[in-house]
Amino acid sequence: MGRPHQPPIGLAVARVARTLTRAFEDALAAAGGSQSAWLVLLQLKINPGATQRELADALELREATMTHHLSGMERDGLITRRRDPNNRRVHQIELTDAGEQAFHRLRKAAGEFDERLRTGIAPERLAELGDTLALLAANVQHGANH
């Protein structure tokens, strides 16, 4: 069952994830954004003119949650929503100039945060960490029992 002096691996990973998430949110807030705004802006750069449903699917969010995020971003002038002329029930989302500027600010903050995380850790160890995290996720998703 592993080494008894160590906490269960899931608990350790969850604690670190909470710490990193809070620190990342703080870094993005200092740049005038949030993690949810950053993820939406990034997705719109990858898939310009995406629909609300496409964004929700890409970010693994319920559509109601996506609507909430987009409403705030629209209020802040970062995005526009317009009806698809071919299907009036579908909203296409586009970045405004302010959204484009926010994307670049948040990309810089995200990059600096990532560099901070990697400080003093050899690339091989980071690669091994990535592989280990992927195995942990696979074990949970596939019900693997080792």
Side-chain angles (χ1 to χ4, degrees), residues 70-129:
L70 293 177
S71 293
M73 293 177 73
E74 190 172 34
R75 243 187 341 272
D76 293 342
L78 302 178
I79 58 144
T80 58
R81 287 188 273 197
R82 64 178 175 80
R83 296 213 182 268
D84 183 330
N86 300 320
N87 184 347
R88 302 287 300 155
R89 292 174 299 181
V90 173
H91 284 101
Q92 291 180 310
I93 317 301
E94 294 177 348
L95 289 180
T96 62
D97 289 342
E100 191 73 38
Q101 292 169 8
F103 168 78
H104 291 291
R105 275 195 322 275
L106 296 180
R107 181 177 65 179
K108 182 176 187 287
E112 289 170 353
F113 182 80
D114 191 62
E115 285 179 29
R116 184 173 137 208
L117 284 181
R118 294 169 181 271
T119 299
I121 305 172
E124 308 79 48
R125 289 191 67 192
L126 291 169
E128 187 176 342
L129 173 62

Side-chain angles (χ1 to χ4, degrees), residues 2-54:
R3 294 176 276 194
H5 66 283
Q6 290 187 328
I9 191 68
L11 183 59
V13 171
R15 283 180 179 159
V16 170
R18 276 193 304 277
T19 299
L20 296 183
T21 297
R22 277 194 297 267
F24 188 49
E25 277 287 356
D26 290 347
L28 293 176
S34 67
Q35 185 171 345
S36 57
W38 164 239
L39 293 174
V40 170
L41 294 170
L42 180 60
Q43 198 54 233
L44 285 171
K45 291 297 282 186
I46 293 167
N47 186 9
T51 67
Q52 192 164 312
R53 180 175 303 250
E54 289 168 342

Side-chain angles (χ1 to χ4, degrees), residues 54-73:
E54 289 168 342
L55 287 174
D57 289 347
L59 298 175
E60 298 179 353
L61 295 173
R62 291 188 344 256
E63 219 168 324
T65 303
M66 189 79 254
T67 298
H68 173 76
H69 289 313
L70 293 177
S71 293
M73 293 177 73

